[in-house]
Amino acid sequence: MRKEDCFYLGKIVRKHSFKGEVVIKLDTDEPELYKNMESVYVELGNNLVPFFIDKSSLHKGNQLRVQFEDVYSEEEVDSILKSDVYLPLTLLPKLEGDKFYYHEVIGFSVFDSNFGEVGTIMHINDKAAQPLFEIDREGKTIFIPMIDDFIKKVDRKNNQIQVETPTGLIELYL
């Protein structure tokens, strides 16, 4: 399985017992969607390795307590501790309306109701306090905060996002 065909589900953050159980901190607002999985991909080095799940249960909010098959000791857990966990993109629940996954809108055109066509989304910068659309406009990068008030419409059929930004925001970058 290739990483680009997967989405980040979370990270194995700690051991839970002496019998090889681990706690995965899930990167989701809906942890209950992932409590009955059969397997996950664990990133080991540069590879995604499938790990099958014996049992799992929700644990403290967005954490999942997991017992993997063939991992029954603390020593075996040490080799996967702090590893990232992934699932295939095909398992992502479909979003509708103006909700979207970051990877889903890469390549979408952005139109501002005041400015007109802004450009094409090249990347989502989620390292800042507020996630940002990174938009290419003829070789220049424009950053638009991903604020619900700014996003007016997500048109999946035409690969477009309609935004309404404060006057002058886009011109700052030009």
Side-chain angles (χ1 to χ4, degrees):
M1 181 63 66
R2 297 177 349 188
K3 203 169 179 178
E4 23 321 319
D5 298 328
C6 294
F7 68 95
Y8 175 78
L9 179 64
K11 183 182 271 304
I12 299 172
V13 291
R14 63 184 171 83
K15 302 174 188 178
H16 185 73
S17 71
F18 298 109
K19 296 180 179 152
E21 284 185 306
V22 296
V23 174
I24 300 172
K25 184 174 184 199
L26 300 174
D27 183 30
T28 179
D29 295 333
E30 301 178 275
E32 60 280 355
L33 294 176
Y34 303 101
K35 67 180 179 185
N36 294 318
M37 298 180 293
E38 292 179 12
S39 64
V40 294
Y41 288 94
V42 176
E43 185 174 33
L44 298 176
N46 291 327
N47 298 314
L48 292 183
V49 178
F51 276 72
F52 293 92
I53 297 172
D54 268 348
K55 63 181 179 177
S56 64
S57 60
L58 288 176
H59 183 76
K60 295 183 187 171
N62 68 336
Q63 297 181 358
L64 189 68
R65 186 171 142 191
V66 175
Q67 176 71 62
F68 289 119
E69 285 182 13
D70 301 323
V71 178
Y72 299 109
S73 72
E74 284 190 81
E75 294 76 28
E76 291 169 321
V77 168
D78 287 338
S79 66
I80 60 172
L81 207 56
K82 306 296 181 205
S83 295
D84 290 338
V85 177
Y86 293 86
L87 283 175
L89 286 171
T90 54
L91 296 180
L92 269 177
K94 291 285 180 214
L95 295 180
E96 295 179 356
D98 293 336
K99 294 183 178 190
F100 56 87
Y101 295 112
Y102 291 176
H103 71 273
E104 176 183 16
V105 297
I106 302 299
F108 275 34
S109 298
V110 177
F111 292 86
D112 182 81
S113 40
N114 300 315
F115 182 84
E117 185 172 357
V118 180
T120 304
I121 298 173
M122 303 309 291
H123 181 70
I124 303 292
N125 180 339
D126 61 352
K127 304 294 185 231
Q130 174 70 48
L132 304 165
F133 290 121
E134 283 188 25
I135 301 165
D136 177 63
R137 179 180 176 83
E138 299 168 2
K140 293 187 180 190
T141 303
I142 297 170
F143 295 95
I144 295 179
M146 293 171 53
I147 297 172
D148 289 344
D149 290 346
F150 288 4
I151 300 169
K152 298 302 174 189
K153 183 178 181 194
V154 177
D155 180 355
R156 288 176 174 79
K157 185 175 170 189
N158 296 307
N159 291 348
Q160 297 176 348
I161 294 182
Q162 179 73 36
V163 297
E164 187 174 341
T165 60
T167 305
L169 175 70
I170 294 167
E171 289 83 357
L172 284 173
Y173 297 98
L174 303 176

